[in-house]
Amino acid sequence: MNGSTGQRTGGRGRVRAASAALGLLAGALTATAAGTSPAAALTPPVAITADDLTTWQTNGIVWSMAAGDGVVYAGGTFSTLRPPTAAPGTSEQPAVNFAAFDAATGAPTDCSLSFTISSGTATVRSLALSPDGETLYAGGQFGAVNGVGVSNIAAIDTETCTVSNTFKIGVSATVRGLAVTDDTVYLAGDFTTVGGQTRNHFAAVTTGASLLPFTANADEVARAVEVTPDGQHVLLGGDFFRINGTNTHALAVVDATTGQLAKSYPGFIHNNSTVQDITTDATGFYTGNEGTGGGVFDGRIALDLDDFDQRWRDTCLGATQSVLVHSGVLYSGSHAHDCSSMGAFPDQPRKHLLAQSVDDPKLLPWFPDTNDGIGEPVGPRVMSQASSGGRHYLWVGGEFTTVNSKPQQGLTRFADGPDTGTPWVPNVSLSTLTPGRIDVNWQTSFDTDDGELTYRIYKDGSNTPVHTTTGYSVFWDRPQLTWTDTDVAPGEEHTYRISVSDGTNTSAKSPAQTATVAGSTEAYPARVRSDGAGLYWRYDEGTSTFAHDSSGNLNNGFLRNGPAYRQTPAAVAGPSTAIGFNGTDDYAYSNRQHAAPGRFSVETWIRTTTTRGGKIIGFGNMTQQNSTRQDKNVYMRNDGRLVFGVQSSGARTVTTSAAYNDGQWHHVVATQGPLGQGMALYVDGQLRASNILVSGNDGNPGYWRVGGDNLAGWPNRPTSNFFAGQIDETAVYPTTLSASQVSAHYALRNG
């Protein structure tokens, strides 16, 4: 295993307790974490909260960890430690590439070792405990431990915290991975000789430091090594393409005694990808993978121990550095940024900590986070786990300098409780499109370690909920929920608030929203709905990220970067409002990814005086940043003319002859149908441009975006990707609206 012994937590006490001062400080900082019962609010099978605990910090990178008997050992490239919340350069104490911590408090113990080298930069890249906990093995690039000469590997007596004078063997280069049994230490790394004999990147020595005949020569760097639970095989990971001359890229299973190949994996992992880490449980083993370049594999693989064949793999992009199993969940450290290929979040800013069932690659609702930090940077590098005082702790080390958006460098830890994180306050919007009722709509919330949340609706200031329901959400998919209040009468005014709970923590109630019960039907929205809109955003929300869907199909949207809410006058008569976009970074996008429609219509109202143009509505593959694939676009040129375009053997567009940046409201509808209908662009109820021969468009799935997205490569590209102006009454249809339907919509603008 690459610098972690996550499954080994046994052994008796070997390191003395922390000093009284350090212990008192850590105890005060973590009083709420220690001695309380485990959380009940986590969504199974997740058994670790996303709430980080106070932990001492390093001034550099933590590359390796091992844990046993309530102590966590950390190695890497750093020179000092400092207390929780302390800024870099303050309250520091020496710790030269190694430190030991109390697992329950996060404070250092008095075990202090200095790993140094005569020239270059010393680093500890791997740590592993013996099964009895008496010996800690360290590998890396170093020539001495507390002044005792060694050669890139050392053994530490955990009771006395002293380096062994008997475990000495020369290793020619960096040791990156270690795995230990009762009598054998397996090594992985950059080396080509061990004990003066050829061993290319993998080797085995006795616990007495004698070289064993085990031979698993690799042609490239080795990064991970792990012994199967039955002790019969060794799992190898790294950059290699051959083991003992046989093709097997990045992953191999060999005999634990001889090193002979038992399972090879030619073509199993992309040639530009590597295995960075390996861990096991009772029935399987799991790899963390990193790739470089296009089409690479960056995710995780689960394999069965009985036949060494694949159980599942995920295809998230963003190199995985570490993996660890606890209670049936595979936790991983990576910088995942695109998991759209497996039905999760599209390309966006990186997420660094994820969880999956060992039986299923679907991402579980566990999303603590770090930043990328220093170094390459990639964030987390290593994970380990320990039990102490009846609690279970997950430790994470790496390059990061923040955890859950707070300053914290090099180390952090999580536990099996208590769960103290409160779900986000719900975003609420009221709708009165149907006489004699009020629809209470809300965007489901987000909680970092709970997916299934409970919502309670309060009416007219009461503290007793009028409705309670549950809904599932994760950060990239926060679907709309709706409850209809029919205990109302036309003309009455009612106020609603919503709270959300994970079972332990309950949010504040949402800001009060008030609506007057309608006595008659509004003509314009009624026609939009009757003509079959599958998505209909009216932009009546205020100060939230929620664009509720009035179509009845729950295709809500996110409002990003704080557009100007409740703009008046709106485009159509009635109690509705519009929304204003700044032309720089404001936009809206659909919560759900949609299949590319063959036939479709997009409809919206615009008002602007811009001379920089911008995207009005379109279909893109990203939500948090500009898309790299765009289609089904309506945009304004710098001169105010409108363009409708699709990708069909290149960008095919139609353009209006008139400009519409005159500061007046304009009704814009773009449709595409089969050959003979093709593309049509209507403005203010009239057909303004068309091409009946273009019936196809890009067939990839995507998100509807309003107000801005990438326009690179499109004809007459405007100065701005983003639209500066007001937008209202946006609707998307799975059909081609006819000319008569379009003109009827426009005619209803005044009620």
Side-chain angles (χ1 to χ4, degrees):
M1 189 172 182
N2 185 21
S4 174
T5 57
Q7 301 307 305
R8 301 190 183 100
T9 56
R12 55 188 195 273
R14 298 291 178 263
V15 182
R16 289 187 297 274
S19 68
L22 294 178
L24 287 172
L25 172 60
L29 291 170
T30 61
T32 59
T36 54
S37 58
L42 303 177
T43 300
V46 171
I48 300 289
T49 82
D51 306 320
D52 57 294
L53 303 176
T54 51
T55 309
W56 277 59
Q57 308 173 71
T58 66
N59 70 338
I61 300 172
V62 174
W63 289 100
S64 55
M65 288 195 292
D69 202 33
V71 177
V72 175
Y73 304 93
T77 312
F78 52 86
S79 59
T80 66
L81 300 178
R82 64 182 187 273
T85 73
T90 64
S91 305
E92 292 186 335
Q93 62 184 49
V96 183
N97 302 314
F98 176 87
F101 301 89
D102 185 304
T105 68
T109 70
D110 59 357
C111 177
S112 178
L113 298 170
S114 177
F115 287 74
T116 57
I117 196 168
S118 58
S119 63
T121 301
T123 183
V124 178
R125 289 299 182 101
S126 52
L127 293 169
L129 276 169
S130 61
D132 62 10
E134 293 183 356
T135 305
L136 175 68
Y137 295 90
Q141 180 179 337
F142 48 83
V145 181
N146 280 8
V148 177
V150 292
S151 179
N152 299 318
I153 190 169
I156 311 299
D157 182 281
T158 57
E159 184 172 17
T160 62
C161 189
T162 57
V163 63
S164 170
N165 282 306
T166 59
F167 185 89
K168 289 193 176 182
I169 190 166
V171 181
S172 62
T174 303
V175 175
R176 297 180 181 272
L178 291 169
V180 185
T181 68
D182 289 334
D183 54 14
T184 304
V185 180
Y186 295 92
L187 295 72
D190 301 5
F191 53 82
T192 55
T193 64
V194 176
Q197 299 187 41
T198 299
R199 291 292 189 274
N200 289 320
H201 307 301
F202 290 104
V205 301
T206 68
T207 52
S210 297
L211 184 66
L212 289 168
F214 173 92
T215 302
N217 286 326
D219 60 337
E220 297 287 349
V221 169
R223 299 185 182 276
V225 59
E226 184 64 271
V227 182
T228 57
D230 63 6
Q232 299 301 303
H233 294 92
V234 178
L235 313 168
L236 311 179
D239 301 7
F240 53 81
F241 289 87
R242 293 177 181 81
I243 295 291
N244 293 337
T246 299
N247 290 337
T248 179
H249 174 52
L251 182 66
V253 182
V254 299
D255 182 89
T257 301
T258 66
Q260 181 178 351
L261 267 171
K263 177 76 172 184
S264 61
Y265 295 90
F268 183 67
I269 294 173
H270 193 284
N271 279 351
N272 289 338
S273 297
T274 63
V275 170
Q276 297 290 110
D277 195 13
I278 301 174
T279 193
T280 65
D281 62 10
T283 64
F285 68 102
Y286 311 87
T287 69
N289 307 274
E290 175 182 276
T292 302
V296 298
F297 175 60
D298 270 346
R300 294 151 289 280
I301 306 175
L303 304 99
D304 292 320
L305 282 171
D306 55 359
D307 57 10
F308 305 125
D309 286 341
Q310 178 176 295
R311 180 186 302 167
W312 57 257
R313 73 166 64 195
D314 77 25
T315 51
C316 288
L317 294 176
T320 304
Q321 304 296 317
S322 56
V323 286
L324 177 148
V325 175
H326 171 63
S327 294
V329 173
L330 179 69
Y331 296 91
S332 58
S334 70
H335 58 270
H337 60 88
D338 185 355
C339 294
S340 57
S341 62
M342 50 183 287
F345 55 90
D347 201 357
Q348 62 181 270
R350 295 171 169 183
K351 300 295 180 182
H352 298 87
L353 295 168
L354 300 175
Q356 296 155 289
S357 166
V358 296
D359 298 316
D360 186 342
K362 179 182 178 181
L363 296 182
L364 295 171
W366 187 77
F367 301 108
D369 204 9
T370 72
N371 66 351
D372 288 345
I374 60 178
E376 287 190 33
V378 299
R381 284 289 188 178
V382 63
M383 309 177 90
S384 190
Q385 57 183 322
S387 295
S388 180
R391 308 308 301 267
H392 192 86
Y393 298 91
L394 169 63
W395 281 66
V396 180
E399 301 175 340
F400 50 84
T401 58
T402 68
V403 177
N404 289 339
S405 301
K406 303 185 297 289
Q408 176 68 25
Q409 185 172 359
L411 287 166
T412 190
R413 63 199 177 98
F414 307 91
D416 52 3
D419 181 1
T420 60
T422 301
W424 292 358
V425 175
N427 293 317
V428 182
S429 179
L430 307 180
S431 178
T432 57
L433 294 180
T434 303
R437 56 187 268 180
I438 295 177
D439 293 325
V440 182
N441 313 286
W442 69 98
Q443 183 182 40
T444 47
S445 297
F446 174 62
D447 188 274
T448 53
D449 47 27
D450 299 279
E452 192 76 23
L453 302 173
T454 299
Y455 299 87
R456 295 179 176 88
I457 302 176
Y458 301 86
K459 180 180 177 182
D460 295 335
S462 172
N463 289 321
T464 301
V466 293
H467 183 70
T468 300
T469 190
T470 60
Y472 187 88
S473 54
V474 284
F475 69 85
W476 70 92
D477 184 12
R478 294 170 58 197
Q480 175 178 323
L481 295 180
T482 296
W483 173 74
T484 299
D485 188 358
T486 57
D487 186 20
V488 295
E492 292 180 349
E493 186 176 86
H494 294 282
T495 299
Y496 302 87
R497 303 178 73 184
I498 300 179
S499 68
V500 59
S501 175
D502 61 13
T504 296
N505 309 287
T506 300
S507 76
K509 294 176 184 175
S510 62
Q513 300 289 330
T514 301
T516 301
V517 183
S520 61
T521 300
E522 291 182 58
Y524 182 90
R527 185 59 188 264
V528 169
R529 295 183 353 149
S530 67
D531 281 342
L535 176 158
Y536 183 22
W537 299 341
R538 304 200 71 206
Y539 308 114
D540 295 338
E541 296 75 24
T543 318
S544 76
T545 61
F546 179 40
H548 98 260
D549 179 18
S550 294
S551 75
N553 295 298
L554 304 181
N555 284 318
N556 62 292
F558 281 81
L559 301 172
R560 184 159 170 80
N561 296 327
Y565 303 95
R566 293 181 174 169
Q567 299 289 289
T568 57
V572 301
S576 185
T577 60
I579 196 164
F581 293 109
N582 63 9
T584 303
D585 59 0
D586 295 346
Y587 62 96
Y589 65 89
S590 60
N591 175 68
R592 296 178 182 171
Q593 185 184 71
H594 295 263
R599 301 181 182 185
F600 68 93
S601 302
V602 293
E603 175 181 38
T604 197
W605 290 76
I606 63 168
R607 183 168 71 168
T608 185
T609 57
T610 185
T611 57
R612 301 179 70 248
K615 172 78 72 69
I616 296 169
I617 186 170
F619 202 64
N621 66 327
M622 297 187 189
T623 61
Q624 302 294 297
Q625 52 196 317
N626 281 347
S627 296
T628 57
R629 190 179 64 246
Q630 323 89 34
D631 187 38
K632 295 170 271 291
N633 289 326
V634 177
Y635 57 95
M636 180 172 279
R637 303 185 345 180
N638 287 350
D639 61 8
R641 297 167 69 184
L642 295 173
V643 181
F644 170 39
V646 297
Q647 290 288 348
S648 181
S649 300
R652 309 293 295 275
T653 61
V654 297
T655 305
T656 65
S657 59
Y660 296 96
N661 57 345
D662 56 6
Q664 302 299 311
W665 278 113
H666 293 287
H667 180 234
V668 181
V669 179
T671 71
Q672 186 179 34
L675 197 65
Q677 289 184 350
M679 302 170 63
L681 178 58
Y682 301 84
V683 182
D684 295 338
Q686 300 295 316
L687 181 65
R688 307 295 184 180
S690 65
N691 186 336
I692 64 173
L693 300 179
V694 180
S695 59
N697 59 64
D698 184 280
N700 290 295
Y703 299 83
W704 289 109
R705 291 186 48 152
V706 175
D709 199 2
N710 192 6
L711 286 169
W714 287 87
N716 298 113
R717 180 187 183 183
T719 301
S720 176
N721 287 325
F722 292 84
F723 180 77
Q726 294 175 328
I727 292 180
D728 202 4
E729 304 289 336
T730 300
V732 178
Y733 303 79
T735 57
T736 304
L737 292 179
S738 66
S740 62
Q741 287 175 308
V742 172
S743 63
H745 289 202
Y746 180 66
L748 291 171
R749 65 192 181 280
N750 294 320

